[in-house]
Amino acid sequence: MALPLQLKVTSRVVKGRRRLERLRAQGQVPAVLYGHGVASVCLAAPARELLQAYHQAGESTLLDLVVDDGSSVKALIQEIQTDPITRQLLHIDFRQVNLREKISAHIKLTFTGIAPAVKEHGGVLMTNLSELAVTSLPQDLVAEISVDLRPLQTFADYLHIRDLPLPPGVTASGRPEDVVAHVVPPRTEEELKALDQKPEAAAASVPA
């Protein structure tokens, strides 16, 4: 098992909106650390290092938060808020965890390979899930789960939650029979023509 990523953060005092804006202008992201049975702590995280940690860990891999160059805390990135226009990082929530207690989390699904039903039969891949809800001890979580699409040989084949290669100690929260991915047949020429005609029919029905 890989060692947790380390991120150095500093404690801060909440002093209003202008203080937060000044903090962001200095390349720091306002943050909060909270957890079950512990008091919430206001923090500031360096934006560049935070992004690097997020790209590697996502929201399902442990981080070692080093607060004020002192003791480290095991935590998960719970939520990141960004400006919808500038994409600037606005705020981040860290969730402190107890390594002896199981938690609920979501692990990203990464689809690999090419389904023969797509390559050989011209079908269209349909994915029902982009992440998987799981329960596990914090140290058993991984950043992503790789899903091999090659078993989708025909349009009758399906990948279910029960087919996913879960890491040791990780249990899926969804129903085993829930579909993760499958391939549907390509549209016929008649279906494509009908789709092209629908906008024209809708426009003709609108009163002048």
Side-chain angles (χ1 to χ4, degrees), residues 87-165:
R87 307 307 299 171
Q88 179 190 18
L89 292 173
L90 298 178
H91 192 273
I92 182 170
D93 289 349
F94 293 108
R95 175 167 55 142
Q96 185 173 345
V97 298
N98 185 329
L99 297 183
R100 295 185 296 273
E101 293 181 358
K102 288 190 174 183
I103 62 173
S104 298
H106 289 81
I107 300 179
K108 176 185 176 182
L109 298 180
T110 300
F111 296 93
T112 63
I114 299 177
V118 172
K119 184 177 181 180
E120 300 171 9
H121 305 295
V124 179
L125 177 66
M126 306 294 291
T127 56
N128 294 1
L129 297 176
S130 60
E131 58 183 19
L132 183 68
V134 301
T135 58
S136 77
L137 292 173
Q139 61 269 30
D140 291 332
L141 291 171
V142 294
E144 62 183 30
I145 294 174
S146 180
V147 183
D148 187 358
L149 296 173
R150 288 176 295 179
L152 299 177
Q153 302 280 332
T154 71
F155 301 136
D157 294 325
Y158 291 81
L159 287 174
H160 302 88
I161 285 181
R162 61 173 175 262
D163 302 318
L164 299 181

Side-chain angles (χ1 to χ4, degrees), residues 47-86:
R48 179 179 296 180
E49 288 80 358
L50 172 59
L51 276 176
Q52 291 175 347
Y54 181 67
H55 288 154
Q56 294 181 63
E59 296 181 6
S60 59
T61 302
L62 277 180
L63 290 174
D64 268 336
L65 287 185
V66 181
V67 183
D68 296 330
D69 292 325
S71 60
S72 64
V73 175
K74 305 292 185 184
L76 294 171
I77 295 175
Q78 189 67 22
E79 182 181 0
I80 285 185
Q81 298 176 16
T82 59
D83 186 286
I85 298 176
T86 65

Side-chain angles (χ1 to χ4, degrees), residues 7-12 41-44 65-71:
L7 179 65
K8 293 183 178 182
V9 296
T10 55
S11 56
R12 64 179 175 88
V41 180
C42 293
L43 303 170
L65 287 185
V66 181
V67 183
D68 296 330
D69 292 325
S71 60

